Amino acid sequence: MDRSERIGLGVSIAAHAAVFAALVLSFAKTPPQEPPKAIPIDISLADKVGLESSAPVPSQEELAAKKSPVEAPVEPEAAPAPAPEPEPQPAPPQPQPAPQPKPQPPQPKPAPAEKPQPKPKPAPAEKPQPAKPAQPAKSAPPSKAAPAKPSNAPSQSAATGSTRRPVKPTGNLAGLDLGRSNNKTNSTALQNPGSKASPEEMASFVGVIKRQIQPCANRQVTPGPGAERIRVLVRLHFNPDGSLAGDLDFTGVQGTDSSNERYVERVKDLARAVFKGCTPIRGLPANLYAVPNGWKSLPFSYGLPR
Amino acid sequence: MPSVTTGAVLSPIHLFLQADIVVKLVMIGLLLASLWTWTIIVGFALKVSAIRKEMQRFETEYREADDFDEFHRRAAGRDQPIARVFAAGVSEWRRSTAGKTIDREGTRERLATAMGATVAMEIDRLSDRLNFLATVGSVAPFVGLFGTVWGIMRSFTGIAAAQSSSLAVVAPGIAEALFATAIGLFAAIPAVIAYNRYSHAVNRVEARLHRFADGFHATLSRRLEMEG
């Protein structure tokens, strides 16, 4: 190793040290990136397909005036006989016993365990009552309308041609159609409750409630260290207008230990304040109120914001 | 391992410290090779430029000198390749012309052989270190690759042990493994460039020494005829 190589060795060592230092410094200069924080996400598993049928119970009112249009055209040119009117009226009472046995056969099929319990409540209690007044009152107009049409028909057909034509000759099929359309005008059909809230619907209105509760929940301050680990389980009872019915049912407490035990009552008070402060809830689906899994009574768990 | 930040993972020190012992040895070896490569590169550059300058000056002085015996007295002691070629020629000339009868053909041959041998020896000495550059240039990538393969094998074993193929498990091992290849290339690329460049430089020095030796041989050959 001669002089030039000694110089070379020195230069080489210095250059390597410089490169190394530059590398270390350049990497040290890049700000250490914060590892992405784990943002807790509430996951609600809503099945696409409910294991239990959530289809609405088909209207329990009989397709009342089915026959009337068929019968009515029989005597079109005759004087508008009031006679067919009383005829359908006795008919509706006949089907009414029928709906009660009807709901039972479909019920055992999808859910033998749960269905029979809630069914009797809404179905016989609410249904027949509006149905009875509705039936005589509203099944009457179709039967009236049916004979009224033919009575108008001659004059109209004379004037405008065959606008009302289908009513007359088509018989059964047209009558069925007419009867059904008449039936739909019964306002009870609109509020026909779903037989059961599907998991998706549950997730939806639970989400609605959570969203509206959130502002109140955000306002609360933690009463002490460790209190945010407490979760109280509550069951809320709602009125149909979305307000709370009565007090909260505290069904349990989670996450307590010796350090935060004394805050449990305080957290319960906070939960009460939160749920009372931001109710009534608006925008809940009215037809899912009193059905099984509906929002009449819902379990929630409340914890302070961390 | 969420606590390990990206900057720390890529820092050379961390990469080295996390590595397996085999990969560490590879890295150290490659680093030493790189160090020695650059020593040779810098040293050779200095040496060649010095030799060129010396040859330039020596040839100028040689052309200006009236008598090579007198010039030999001045210049033969220098520690220069071209001076040693000149001295070899002169000493062979003296030995061959010392006797009573002079074999001209034999003397010419001996002069050419002696000076050619000296040139070859000087070139050998000059290019002594270049074979190291060639070796580093061709072998360092493979050594680095070996370290990488070893490190990746090890990190795959780690995946199997952790039963998780998440990037956090795989990434540090692969990064440290690739670091070995990076060092290998870091050592090899300058070595290859320097080897090609310095081979060319050595060839030029050799050609120049030969040209000088041929010129001196012609001078001595002329003198031989005059003396005869």
Side-chain angles (χ1 to χ4, degrees):
Chain A
M1 189 178 255
D2 57 12
R3 197 182 63 92
S4 68
E5 278 185 341
R6 271 195 297 277
I7 295 173
L9 186 60
V11 171
S12 164
I13 288 174
H16 276 80
V19 167
F20 186 76
L23 273 179
V24 170
L25 283 182
S26 77
F27 279 114
K29 211 184 285 176
T30 55
Q33 294 160 348
E34 282 288 314
K37 270 187 183 171
I39 300 162
I41 300 171
D42 285 335
I43 297 174
S44 63
L45 295 173
D47 295 332
K48 273 278 185 213
V49 179
L51 292 178
E52 294 163 16
S53 163
S54 60
V57 174
S59 168
Q60 277 136 358
E61 293 156 29
E62 188 60 10
L63 299 179
K66 198 189 279 182
K67 292 246 171 185
S68 61
V70 185
E71 285 173 16
V74 175
E75 45 233 318
E77 256 109 78
E85 287 176 38
E87 271 175 13
Q89 270 174 352
Q94 279 173 354
Q96 262 178 356
Q100 276 161 355
K102 247 193 210 164
Q104 281 162 355
Q107 279 158 12
K109 273 186 233 161
E114 288 184 21
K115 279 277 170 71
Q117 281 186 342
K119 249 311 108 58
K121 279 186 215 160
E126 295 177 8
K127 264 298 133 51
Q129 280 170 358
K132 270 173 199 164
Q135 209 82 3
K138 288 192 178 172
S139 63
S143 59
K144 269 179 196 165
K149 277 172 200 163
S151 66
N152 290 344
S155 59
Q156 278 184 349
S157 61
T160 62
S162 60
T163 49
R164 291 288 162 183
R165 197 129 198 105
V167 180
K168 259 196 235 170
T170 46
N172 247 343
L173 205 61
L176 193 95
D177 195 31
L178 237 184
R180 192 170 278 166
S181 68
N182 284 340
N183 227 11
K184 268 181 197 161
T185 59
N186 288 352
S187 59
T188 50
L190 287 178
Q191 282 160 353
N192 189 18
S195 70
K196 189 176 198 322
S198 72
E200 275 179 323
E201 288 163 341
M202 262 187 90
S204 151
F205 60 66
V206 167
V208 167
I209 295 172
K210 276 186 179 166
R211 227 176 2 261
Q212 297 187 25
I213 290 292
Q214 195 66 50
C216 288
N218 290 345
R219 273 202 290 277
Q220 309 303 329
V221 288
T222 174
E228 72 279 351
R229 290 199 301 273
I230 300 176
R231 295 197 79 80
V232 290
L233 307 178
V234 296
R235 180 163 275 278
L236 305 182
H237 304 288
F238 287 99
N239 291 322
D241 63 354
S243 60
L244 278 181
D247 200 7
L248 285 69
D249 274 354
F250 289 100
T251 53
V253 180
Q254 291 174 345
T256 55
D257 50 37
S258 55
S259 68
N260 60 14
E261 223 166 8
R262 55 208 158 123
Y263 299 121
V264 168
E265 282 311 311
R266 186 82 189 90
V267 173
K268 281 184 179 176
D269 288 344
L270 290 177
R272 201 171 280 124
V274 164
F275 285 112
K276 296 213 160 164
C278 276
T279 49
I281 308 288
R282 285 172 301 281
L284 290 170
N287 61 340
L288 295 175
Y289 174 61
V291 297
N293 289 343
W295 49 273
K296 187 176 185 182
S297 164
L298 282 178
F300 277 92
S301 84
Y302 169 75
L304 283 159
R306 280 155 201 263
Chain B
M1 34 189 86
S3 62
V4 179
T5 59
T6 327
V9 166
L10 284 178
S11 148
I13 302 175
H14 275 83
L15 284 179
F16 177 76
L17 290 180
Q18 283 169 11
D20 188 44
I21 179 69
V22 175
V23 184
K24 266 182 195 165
L25 287 179
V26 165
M27 285 181 187
I28 291 173
L30 288 174
L31 216 57
L32 290 179
S34 170
L35 215 59
W36 188 232
T37 298
W38 278 97
T39 302
I40 292 171
I41 289 172
V42 175
F44 197 89
L46 294 176
K47 203 188 283 182
V48 165
S49 80
I51 286 174
R52 285 221 186 104
K53 263 183 232 153
E54 285 164 5
M55 282 197 297
Q56 188 68 41
R57 193 159 9 106
F58 192 91
E59 282 176 356
T60 313
E61 287 180 27
Y62 169 74
R63 249 180 268 119
E64 287 165 356
D66 299 328
D67 180 28
F68 70 85
D69 274 326
E70 177 264 342
F71 180 60
H72 177 256
R73 242 172 279 127
R74 270 195 292 146
R78 294 179 189 169
D79 183 19
Q80 294 168 2
I82 194 166
R84 281 193 280 274
V85 171
F86 176 74
V90 170
S91 64
E92 180 55 40
W93 163 263
R94 286 187 180 156
R95 251 179 277 143
S96 293
T97 54
K100 287 171 190 149
T101 57
I102 299 170
D103 178 5
R104 285 178 188 144
E105 276 310 305
T107 304
R108 282 199 192 95
E109 256 177 50
R110 280 194 297 275
L111 278 173
T113 311
M115 285 195 289
T118 311
V119 169
M121 198 191 72
E122 289 302 319
I123 292 305
D124 268 357
R125 268 180 49 172
L126 189 62
S127 61
D128 183 28
R129 309 288 197 194
L130 286 189
N131 61 350
F132 184 81
L133 292 186
T135 307
V136 168
S138 56
V139 167
F142 293 118
V143 176
L145 200 59
F146 166 71
T148 295
V149 169
W150 187 275
I152 288 182
M153 274 166 57
R154 189 167 151 273
S155 75
F156 275 129
T157 318
I159 295 171
Q163 306 241 319
S164 145
S165 62
S166 83
L167 205 57
V169 176
V170 188
I174 290 181
E176 94 198 8
L178 290 176
F179 190 48
T181 299
I183 298 182
L185 294 177
F186 177 76
I189 292 170
V192 172
I193 293 174
Y195 178 74
N196 288 333
R197 199 175 149 68
Y198 290 160
S199 302
H200 183 60
V202 165
N203 284 344
R204 282 174 62 186
V205 169
E206 186 181 11
R208 197 162 177 176
L209 286 179
H210 274 304
R211 271 205 303 281
F212 174 77
D214 286 348
F216 188 45
H217 183 262
T219 309
L220 291 179
S221 184
R222 227 178 293 125
R223 177 97 168 256
L224 201 60
E225 278 176 18
M226 276 155 45
E227 287 199 357

